[in-house]
Amino acid sequence: MTHPIIAVENVTKQVHDSSGILTILDEINFTLAERQSAAIVGASGSGKSTLLSILAGLDVPTTGTVRLDGIDLFSLDEDARAAVRAGTVGFVFQSFQLLAHLTALENVMLPLELLGRRDARAAAADMLVRVGLGERLSHYPRVLSGGEQQRVALARAFVVQPKVLLADEPTGSLDFATGDRVLELMFQMNRDAGTTLVLVTHDKNIATRCDRQLHLEAGRLVSQEAVLSD
């Protein structure tokens, strides 16, 4: 019997502020299978980005755990979680998070180099060609458009062939046409690579393209809608 690629078990996140204890996430439970896509939706402040950070092991829940490809993330120390993340998870951020002093090629090579891959340059170049940036390998982020920067970020996320791709408002800083092209590329690469995709979005049109919609309200998971296909 195969295990889910992501299993979230009773995850609660609380922080202390001047008024007392603030509950950001409250007893979240769900699973996702390999190759599934899911949109985390909800109003601003509902806990979407916090949940995404916990799925990656970047943030630690107050209680509960996340199993990533069968591994209990929060039974590990920070270094061990980082090692699991490096080999299993890709990230795409709204703000791109490219390193300004590195070229497009060097940005995409970086996660491969951290994994000790000897073919980092060739693999990164090939991935940039796949996202339509074969002529932009030596360009720095400052001379790339927003859409081009996001495609570099997408190439960097996919180049390690992750089992899970996490995306936080990946088209939020792009105009509609550019965002739509980036989104189509993301879903196509998701299908081609068989990666499980989890994205945070406020856009209902994007959410309906996913297999599942995880709806948060004030930190609680109030529905897990499956998108029906014809």
Side-chain angles (χ1 to χ4, degrees), residues 2-230:
T2 60
H3 54 70
I5 191 70
I6 296 173
V8 178
E9 303 171 359
N10 301 315
V11 163
T12 293
K13 178 68 176 183
Q14 296 177 323
V15 297
H16 293 267
D17 64 11
S18 58
S19 62
I21 297 176
L22 175 64
T23 299
I24 300 173
L25 295 172
D26 189 4
E27 292 289 320
I28 304 295
N29 289 274
F30 67 88
T31 61
L32 291 173
E34 292 181 349
R35 298 177 177 269
Q36 273 196 312
S37 59
I40 302 174
V41 299
S44 178
S46 60
K48 302 187 300 297
S49 293
T50 298
L51 178 56
L52 201 71
S53 294
I54 289 174
L55 293 183
L58 291 169
D59 197 357
V60 178
T62 306
T63 59
T65 195
V66 172
R67 297 184 188 278
L68 187 61
D69 198 20
I71 299 171
D72 182 347
L73 284 181
F74 302 110
S75 68
L76 307 175
D77 63 24
E78 188 173 342
D79 288 342
R81 285 200 303 274
V84 171
R85 191 163 53 242
T88 308
V89 179
F91 297 89
V92 180
F93 300 96
Q94 178 178 344
S95 56
F96 317 136
Q97 300 284 359
L98 301 179
L99 297 178
H101 64 286
L102 298 182
T103 65
L105 180 62
E106 291 165 342
N107 266 283
V108 179
M109 287 173 60
L110 186 59
L112 295 174
E113 291 176 326
L114 293 174
L115 291 172
R117 288 269 297 270
R118 294 185 177 183
D119 64 337
R121 179 172 293 273
D126 178 66
M127 186 58 68
L128 283 165
V129 169
R130 290 181 62 187
V131 299
L133 294 175
E135 303 299 318
R136 309 289 260 171
L137 303 186
S138 62
H139 288 68
Y140 289 90
R142 66 179 179 273
V143 299
L144 298 174
S145 69
E148 288 172 332
Q149 289 185 60
Q150 192 60 298
R151 282 187 280 160
V152 173
L154 193 57
R156 182 183 58 188
F158 269 104
V159 76
V160 297
Q161 298 180 312
K163 293 184 177 180
V164 175
L165 179 71
L166 304 176
D168 193 357
E169 297 283 7
T171 62
S173 15
L174 305 175
D175 64 77
F176 176 80
T178 303
D180 195 56
R181 288 195 296 271
V182 167
L183 194 68
E184 184 56 43
L185 180 62
M186 180 183 297
F187 277 101
Q188 180 180 341
M189 295 180 74
N190 170 248
R191 291 189 297 268
D192 292 347
T195 302
T196 298
L197 171 63
V198 183
L199 58 86
V200 165
T201 184
H202 65 277
D203 188 322
K204 292 182 179 179
N205 292 325
I206 295 175
T208 56
R209 297 183 64 172
C210 295
D211 300 322
R212 301 262 301 281
Q213 293 184 44
L214 308 174
H215 189 185
L216 294 180
E217 285 185 8
R220 295 187 65 86
L221 183 59
V222 295
S223 67
Q224 302 185 46
E225 301 174 13
V227 178
L228 299 178
S229 58
D230 294 334

